[in-house]
Amino acid sequence: MFGRLRNKIIFSFCVLMVGGGALSTTLVSRTMSRTLGAAVDRSGSTLAEVLADQLTEPLAYRDRLTTHRVLTGARESNADLVYAFVVGPDGTIIDHSFPVDRFPADLLPLARTTGPRTVQTEDGTLRHLTFPIARGVLGTLHVGVSMTWVDAATADAVSNVLVTTLIAMGAGILGILLLAHLITRPVLALRDAADRLGRGDIGAEAPVMGSDELADLARTFNRMAAQIRERIAESEALRAYVERVLDQMESGIMVVSGSRRVEYANRTAVRRHGPLEDVSCFEVMAGERPCDHCPVPEVLDTGQVLHRTYRAASGRTYELKWVPIIGRNGQPAVVERALDVTERLEVRERLERAQRLAVAGEISAGIVHAVNNPLDGVRRALDLAADRPEDPERVQRMLGLAKEGTDRIAGITRTLLSFARGDEAQDPVPVAVDALAEAAVSLSRLKADARQVTIETDLEPDLPEVWMDPQGMEEVLVNLVLNAVDACPDGGKVRVSAHTRDETLEISVQDSGPGIPVEAAQAVFEPFFTTKDTAHGTGLGLPVARRVVEAHGGELVLEEAELGGARFVARIPLRPAPQSLEGTLG
Ligand code: ADP
């Protein structure tokens, strides 16, 4: 390029020199012709004037011999005078400097001219001048003055100009070559450095030559290259840092392009699958084509994150996650994160097994506790009956106590069984909620009266019929009301309310008892949690009630009571159409 630049400079210079040379040559030749032509005119006119003087007398006396002698003598004595002739007032040629009767025919037209003319003849260029003899009375003298020397002088001057121009041009070209070399050397060096930098040689520097603008340019380039080096070093450090972080990750991380090539893999992924440079993700999975249900196109199409759990042939389990990103070349790609959860799952399974065992242990202890007491009673009653078999009345009473005990055990096992099977709720039917609440209240009335506890109801007028299991829900309400009565041993108040709110039926039972401390709020719903003595409490009432309510798609929660004690609220969605409750059981 810079070679071409130098050629351009030389070519432009040559064009300028040639143009300038041609122009100056033309100017010189024109000026010389004009100046020397005027000189010829002046000397020719003087000659003609002298000659006209000499001819006046011979012409007046018609002395042709003298006239001819004057004309030929003048031509012979003056080398620049090519010819001379006299034209009479009538236009005829009276005499001339040529031999007698040898007047050249091509000069005849000139005999009629009056002003000066430049004429080309075989002898070269000449100037034709006229001069009136005796103010034209005796005719006009015509002379031809040679201009050959003028041509020669002009040609000489032009050739001098040309030679000067050529010498100047040669010197100029040499100068230009030197200048071009001085300019192009640093520019070429700069270009080479830029080329090297462009090819990735970040150490490339341009030599600084001298202190001119090109040296400034080289310095600027070097500063720019240093900044690029700095930026590259910074981004390299950042890349290495991110890579170190990614390599420390427990998850295998790969970036897969839209064409399924692995763009990046962290150390965990490489440890799992081996080298991943220039392989496709299905090759990673030892396949020859993309896997069935390949998640990459789906993630790219929808732009959504996908999760899957995958159990590999090795028996290990991975939690996989695919996230769409913009890949290395600015094209959409997918990050695949594979976390080996095998150990975690095993630990969780062990933990769950241990928890199940603990729960089983707790439940067994609860059952043993719940069954042991009535069983003790039964044994004691039977022992007492056996002690005095002769007393039939006593035997009868003791057998009655023993039956009560076995009934209680049977009740406990029945409740336990239904709790374990989750069959608390039967198929739903439309139930009048106010009637259901009233029934529960009347079933609890006996015990309430004995404890001097008043039960009041707060039922929304025109409550709708709700699809539910009437028997299960009645048991729930009776249980809640009896618990509320139990909480008021020295008399008090229990309120049963039923309202509808936002497509939900809300039935609550609250009391004026001591309430339930916050720390026991969750425990009351756990099986076998009871604060009652063994004859009265099993700790199964609330857990069973909660399961029944949940089987209706609702919830049973403990809330603050206006009456000061506990308030249990059952919220059941108002079902628009009948459906089995079984499907909702957990
Ligand atoms: P149980 O009545 O056989 O004890 P529940 O599951 O019905 O079993 O009740 C568990 C425990 O919750 C009771 O022993 C009692 O301590 C507490 N509880 C239930 N209802 C109330 C209430 N209304 N006020 C205070 N405590 C209550």
Side-chain angles (χ1 to χ4, degrees):
M1 170 197 164
F2 293 105
R4 289 202 295 274
L5 178 62
R6 190 180 54 190
N7 293 345
K8 272 184 195 169
I9 293 172
I10 293 172
F11 177 74
S12 310
F13 176 76
C14 288
V15 168
L16 276 176
M17 289 303 282
V18 169
L23 190 68
S24 46
T25 309
T26 312
L27 282 175
V28 165
S29 88
R30 277 198 182 174
T31 311
M32 295 257 323
S33 297
R34 205 178 305 127
T35 313
L36 296 179
V40 167
D41 280 2
R42 269 197 312 279
S43 66
S45 296
T46 310
L47 182 66
E49 193 181 346
V50 171
L51 208 53
D53 262 1
Q54 291 175 3
L55 288 170
T56 306
E57 211 178 289
L59 280 173
Y61 292 104
R62 297 177 190 270
D63 179 1
R64 292 293 158 88
L65 198 65
T66 308
T67 311
H68 190 69
R69 197 167 37 82
V70 169
L71 288 174
T72 50
R75 197 184 69 86
E76 279 162 10
S77 63
N78 198 321
D80 286 338
L81 188 67
V82 180
Y83 60 80
F85 61 88
V86 178
V87 178
D90 58 352
T92 55
I93 295 168
I94 298 171
D95 209 345
H96 53 74
S97 60
F98 300 101
V100 185
D101 296 336
R102 297 282 295 278
F103 189 82
D106 54 344
L107 290 183
L108 283 176
L110 292 172
R112 287 188 284 277
T113 61
T114 51
R117 290 277 170 88
T118 301
V119 183
Q120 289 296 336
T121 65
E122 285 172 3
D123 301 328
T125 312
L126 59 84
R127 192 77 172 149
H128 180 87
L129 302 167
T130 58
F131 197 84
I133 306 168
R135 290 195 190 85
V137 177
L138 296 175
T140 311
L141 174 65
H142 292 248
V143 291
V145 184
S146 172
M147 287 187 77
T148 315
W149 67 274
V150 173
D151 286 349
T154 306
D156 204 25
V158 166
S159 69
N160 280 344
V161 169
L162 278 177
V163 168
T164 312
T165 306
L166 282 175
I167 290 170
M169 208 157 102
I173 287 175
L174 281 178
I176 291 278
L177 282 174
L178 185 66
L179 191 67
H181 177 69
L182 287 176
I183 293 175
T184 54
R185 202 160 60 100
V187 174
L188 284 172
L190 190 61
R191 185 194 65 180
D192 287 348
D195 269 358
R196 282 197 346 257
L197 189 67
R199 283 197 303 272
D201 176 5
I202 57 165
E205 284 216 356
V208 180
M209 302 174 192
S211 58
D212 54 10
E213 288 86 345
L214 289 172
D216 285 349
L217 192 62
R219 267 191 287 273
T220 307
F221 172 83
N222 289 342
R223 261 200 310 278
M224 189 187 77
Q227 280 172 358
I228 291 174
R229 272 195 295 277
E230 236 171 72
R231 296 276 176 288
I232 289 177
E234 272 171 23
S235 63
E236 269 300 311
L238 185 66
R239 197 184 62 81
Y241 169 70
V242 171
E243 210 154 89
R244 273 199 306 279
V245 171
L246 287 170
D247 281 346
Q248 288 313 311
M249 292 184 84
E250 204 187 327
S251 301
I253 293 176
M254 288 197 285
V255 178
V256 180
S257 71
S259 57
R260 319 281 206 289
R261 304 307 290 179
V262 176
E263 281 186 359
Y264 166 80
N266 74 344
R267 191 176 293 165
T268 309
V270 173
R271 219 175 14 237
R272 264 179 213 158
H273 305 291
L276 292 171
E277 275 150 33
D278 204 34
V279 290
S280 58
C281 59
F282 47 86
E283 284 169 293
V284 174
M285 308 305 281
E288 289 173 0
R289 56 184 178 74
C291 319
D292 294 338
H293 313 298
C294 172
V296 174
E298 191 182 334
V299 173
L300 290 176
D301 281 355
T302 60
Q304 288 192 339
V305 176
L306 267 190
H307 291 91
R308 276 183 206 165
T309 303
Y310 170 70
R311 198 173 161 80
S314 61
R316 302 201 72 79
T317 307
Y318 296 95
E319 253 176 34
L320 299 168
K321 182 177 181 181
W322 292 273
V323 182
I325 58 157
I326 298 300
R328 188 175 282 166
N329 307 323
Q331 297 296 317
V334 174
V335 178
E336 182 193 284
R337 192 215 63 184
L339 179 63
D340 188 339
V341 290
T342 316
E343 275 81 23
R344 197 200 289 171
L345 284 183
E346 280 171 11
V347 169
R348 195 163 74 196
E349 260 171 40
R350 277 205 297 275
L351 208 67
E352 278 173 3
R353 207 175 313 131
Q355 271 171 348
R356 276 200 302 276
L357 283 175
V359 170
E362 251 177 61
I363 291 175
S364 314
I367 294 171
V368 168
H369 186 72
V371 171
N372 252 0
N373 285 306
L375 203 60
D376 250 10
V378 172
R379 198 170 50 230
R380 250 201 330 271
L382 289 178
D383 281 350
L384 288 173
D387 276 355
R388 304 222 317 249
E390 68 283 359
D391 184 349
E393 201 184 314
R394 181 184 155 90
V395 168
Q396 203 59 41
R397 214 172 57 245
M398 290 306 138
L399 284 177
L401 284 174
K403 184 175 179 304
E404 241 177 63
T406 50
D407 283 351
R408 186 165 164 72
I409 292 170
I412 291 169
T413 49
R414 208 172 34 247
T415 312
L416 271 172
L417 259 182
S418 66
F419 181 69
R421 284 205 305 261
D423 57 358
E424 298 84 357
Q426 303 304 315
D427 280 346
V429 292
V431 173
V433 179
D434 46 1
L436 181 84
E438 295 291 1
V441 169
S442 68
L443 281 171
S444 317
R445 187 78 70 189
L446 209 63
K447 190 173 186 181
D449 289 347
R451 299 274 177 97
Q452 292 178 328
V453 173
T454 13
I455 305 180
E456 58 183 39
T457 52
D458 166 25
L459 306 174
E460 188 181 287
D462 303 325
L463 276 169
E465 285 193 331
V466 180
W467 285 85
M468 56 170 88
D469 163 20
Q471 204 182 331
M473 279 307 291
E474 188 184 272
E475 276 171 24
V476 169
L477 284 182
V478 169
N479 207 307
L480 294 176
V481 175
L482 289 179
N483 272 351
V485 172
D486 281 344
C488 308
D490 306 319
K493 201 187 268 182
V494 171
R495 186 184 298 157
V496 178
S497 314
H499 294 275
T500 51
R501 267 189 201 98
D502 303 332
E503 297 298 301
T504 305
L505 170 67
E506 201 175 272
I507 311 179
S508 69
V509 177
Q510 60 175 310
D511 58 67
S512 60
I516 295 172
V518 185
E519 57 276 15
Q522 276 309 310
V524 293
F525 291 104
E526 281 167 17
F528 305 114
F529 176 88
T530 180
T531 53
K532 297 172 190 170
D533 62 47
T534 44
H536 295 99
T538 59
L540 289 171
L542 285 176
V544 170
R546 178 174 260 186
R547 289 200 65 164
V548 172
V549 174
E550 284 175 354
H552 284 77
E555 58 170 13
L556 177 65
V557 289
L558 179 62
E559 289 181 358
E560 229 167 85
E562 293 150 26
L563 296 180
R567 176 172 179 253
F568 286 89
V569 187
R571 292 195 181 87
I572 294 171
L574 297 172
R575 289 165 187 278
Q579 64 185 79
S580 167
L581 295 176
E582 267 174 324
T584 59
L585 288 173

